[in-house]
Amino acid sequence: MNDDEIRRIVEVYQNTLSLRETARICGTSKSTVARRLQTAKDRGLIPETPARPSNGIEDKTEKDERTITSSGTIRDVKTLLNECGVDLDEWILVRHTVNKWDSQTKGGGVIELFQVKAHLERRASYFVKRVKPVAPIKRKPQTIKSGGKLCLVVPDSQHGFRRNEDGELEPLHDRRAIDCVIQAARLLKDEITDIWLAGDMLDLAAFGTYSVEPSLRYTTQPSLNELFWFLGQLRLECPSAFIRYAAGNHERRIERALNDKIDEARHLRPAGKPESRPVLSIPHLLSLDQLDIEYVEPYGTPYFWQGIRFSHGHLAKPRGKTAAAYLSSGATQDLVFGHVHRLELAQRVVESGIYDEDGRHAGMKRKVITAMTPGCLCRTDGAVPNASGSTLDWHQGFGLIYSHPDHDSPSMQLIPIIDGGCIVRGVAINGETRVDDIRKATGINI
């Protein structure tokens, strides 16, 4: 091969700094290119083979955020992560950028150089642990009673977390208030026939439509784990109760996020199991079938029990006016709702005419309609993301509803929880955080 042909290979190599790419452009093999480069050096056609520029990798980690930047011949983020030995089981690639420019080589050629910048966040460590109890806890048949029924109403707990700087998860739900409900269920387990979960049992901040604080991201898994633990405690305390869980507007956040971004994922089911729950549905994510809990959906669907209308609700009036607003909107039956995070109970008298067999007016019948909302079980100190920007007028509590065949109207009772304690049937209950129990059952870093 003459010197001109060798110089051609040298020029291409100086531009590409790649044996493979030089061989492709020159229509030869990599081994031939390597030999010609050595020949060029031996003949003095080039003073030396140009050195590959340094990639200048900078790797910075602050708390749970990591930024890696390279300046050189690394062309893509995958190569950069491999070069730095990034474990993608530990780190999540949030975003990356690639910039390109031309640089002059010592031999007079031009080479393409790149800046690749990767932004990563540390994965939480709790995904690998499984919640207990893992075995299904099915409802036991109820003993037939001639007396009345008792429904325990459990309001919005908004299970969720904020991840602190040290990686520890701070709950948005109030564990002491939740334990008050568990202890009340234990106290009344021989009487409770039904349990109504009023909805918004999950916060799901990462799926909301507003801007999400970084500390609230990647907390859905532990939220599901701890809520499942709470539901399991209710099932263990009340093994014969019918438990129903209403879809709230917060549970709907997953559905809306899927509709807006990947609607095809809403109804995906495991292959070969067409009868199973959609994989990303609340019943599947919370394993409600394992606990024999009925999920009432979609959001807004009412459920009727002993003539009472149950729903999550959608109104939120200030200063205790929501229950009255429902009654003034034309309600004709007792109703129970959540959503407003306040303890409210209001009543209204509804009159209707009474007529005899001949159709003649025989008087008026009075009926008392009751509307009740039993507060919340989430924190009320501002930890829960909200748009008010002011002191929250939220109240913690739960409800008890007694229904008896000898009475036309039910008896609805509000049980306020104040400073982690409440009084039920004259018994003082002091809630505990039960951190050790929850940590052991869920593996959550709390």
Side-chain angles (χ1 to χ4, degrees):
M1 179 174 287
N2 60 41
D3 288 352
D4 289 340
E5 292 174 331
I6 293 176
R7 288 191 182 95
R8 165 63 176 159
I9 289 177
V10 170
E11 181 183 357
V12 173
Y13 178 73
Q14 287 178 333
N15 287 332
T16 64
L17 293 182
S18 168
L19 295 176
R20 183 188 300 275
E21 186 66 11
T22 302
R24 185 188 68 80
I25 295 173
C26 295
T28 185
S29 65
K30 289 196 300 181
S31 59
T32 300
V33 171
R35 290 196 304 271
R36 296 295 181 261
L37 291 174
Q38 184 61 47
T39 300
K41 188 173 182 181
D42 295 341
R43 294 182 183 180
L45 299 178
I46 53 174
E48 61 181 25
T49 303
R52 183 179 295 272
S54 170
N55 283 316
I57 294 177
E58 183 180 31
D59 192 342
K60 291 184 177 180
T61 300
E62 294 184 6
K63 299 174 184 176
D64 290 326
E65 297 183 356
R66 183 176 179 183
T67 303
I68 305 175
T69 307
S70 70
S71 297
T73 57
I74 292 179
R75 296 168 174 255
D76 55 71
V77 69
K78 183 178 179 181
T79 305
L80 175 62
L81 298 183
N82 289 337
E83 185 78 15
C84 296
V86 174
D87 184 356
L88 292 179
D89 288 334
E90 180 182 359
W91 295 95
I92 299 171
L93 178 63
V94 178
R95 64 186 184 279
H96 73 279
T97 57
V98 178
N99 296 312
K100 184 181 75 170
W101 69 94
D102 293 332
S103 177
Q104 191 79 25
T105 67
K106 291 182 179 180
V110 176
I111 183 174
E112 291 182 339
L113 297 180
F114 300 83
Q115 182 196 61
V116 182
K117 192 169 188 177
H119 300 270
L120 303 105
E121 291 184 3
R122 192 186 304 276
R123 283 187 187 272
S125 59
Y126 38 72
F127 288 98
V128 295
K129 299 206 175 180
R130 193 172 182 180
V131 184
K132 297 178 182 179
V134 295
I137 309 175
K138 294 298 184 180
R139 186 184 67 84
K140 296 181 179 179
Q142 290 184 349
T143 302
I144 299 176
K145 300 177 181 179
S146 58
K149 296 178 178 291
L150 172 58
C151 180
L152 170 65
V153 182
V154 183
D156 317 36
S157 61
Q158 291 194 211
H159 272 69
F161 290 96
R162 176 176 277 103
R163 189 171 60 248
N164 293 328
E165 293 182 356
D166 60 1
E168 185 173 294
L169 293 168
E170 177 188 355
L172 306 180
H173 48 285
D174 192 309
R175 291 191 176 112
R176 293 182 66 195
I178 287 168
D179 188 50
C180 284
V181 174
I182 295 173
Q183 291 190 49
R186 184 181 307 138
L187 178 67
L188 303 172
K189 64 181 179 181
D190 293 332
E191 302 173 55
I192 293 175
T193 58
D194 297 82
I195 297 176
W196 174 260
L197 303 163
D200 282 5
M201 308 308 295
L202 288 163
D203 186 69
L204 297 174
F207 294 88
T209 56
Y210 51 84
S211 179
V212 181
E213 301 174 38
S215 63
L216 296 170
R217 299 175 62 198
Y218 307 112
T219 59
T220 302
Q221 186 64 59
S223 304
L224 293 168
N225 289 5
E226 188 162 339
L227 177 55
F228 180 75
W229 175 85
F230 173 39
L231 300 179
Q233 297 301 300
L234 292 178
R235 172 52 74 203
L236 290 171
E237 298 296 349
C238 301
S240 299
F242 291 96
I243 304 180
R244 300 174 180 92
Y245 179 158
N249 53 291
H250 279 254
E251 281 84 4
R252 191 186 178 204
R253 284 177 169 178
I254 289 183
E255 176 185 322
R256 293 181 63 178
L258 293 175
N259 283 344
D260 292 344
K261 297 178 181 178
I262 42 173
D263 58 343
E264 185 178 347
R266 270 195 62 194
H267 302 292
L268 289 179
R269 293 172 169 82
K273 297 181 179 179
E275 75 289 348
S276 65
R277 302 276 195 179
V279 173
L280 293 178
S281 67
I282 293 294
H284 181 80
L285 293 172
L286 283 171
S287 299
L288 296 185
D289 292 343
Q290 288 194 33
L291 302 176
D292 224 340
I293 295 177
E294 178 184 350
Y295 191 61
V296 181
E297 60 178 329
Y299 166 54
T301 301
Y303 183 84
F304 296 89
W305 177 83
Q306 302 296 297
I308 305 169
R309 187 183 192 274
F310 289 80
S311 70
H312 176 69
H314 62 280
L315 293 180
K317 301 292 184 180
R319 296 180 295 280
K321 297 179 180 179
T322 307
Y326 273 114
L327 292 178
S328 63
S329 65
T332 59
Q333 59 194 149
D334 302 300
L335 64 150
V336 177
F337 58 97
H339 189 60
V340 295
H341 297 189
R342 287 190 288 270
L343 276 80
E344 298 182 20
L345 191 149
Q347 293 183 319
R348 174 192 176 197
V349 174
V350 177
E351 290 187 330
S352 59
I354 302 175
Y355 300 88
D356 60 21
E357 295 179 355
D358 297 327
R360 291 175 295 193
H361 188 266
M364 299 295 292
K365 180 180 179 180
R366 301 174 76 250
K367 181 181 179 180
V368 177
I369 303 296
T370 303
M372 181 185 82
T373 182
C376 65
L377 298 176
C378 59
R379 289 170 57 181
T380 59
D381 58 359
V384 178
N386 65 90
S388 68
S390 59
T391 301
L392 297 173
D393 186 20
W394 290 1
H395 320 141
Q396 293 178 336
F398 58 95
L400 299 174
I401 304 176
Y402 293 88
S403 176
H404 198 281
D406 294 340
H407 290 267
D408 292 336
S409 298
S411 174
M412 299 190 186
Q413 301 178 11
L414 292 174
I415 308 296
I417 299 173
I418 300 175
D419 294 330
C422 64
I423 300 173
V424 179
R425 290 279 188 85
V427 177
I429 294 177
N430 293 306
E432 300 178 2
T433 60
R434 299 186 63 178
V435 168
D436 290 340
D437 293 341
I438 297 169
R439 184 188 293 117
K440 182 179 179 180
T442 66
I444 301 173
N445 178 26
I446 56 176

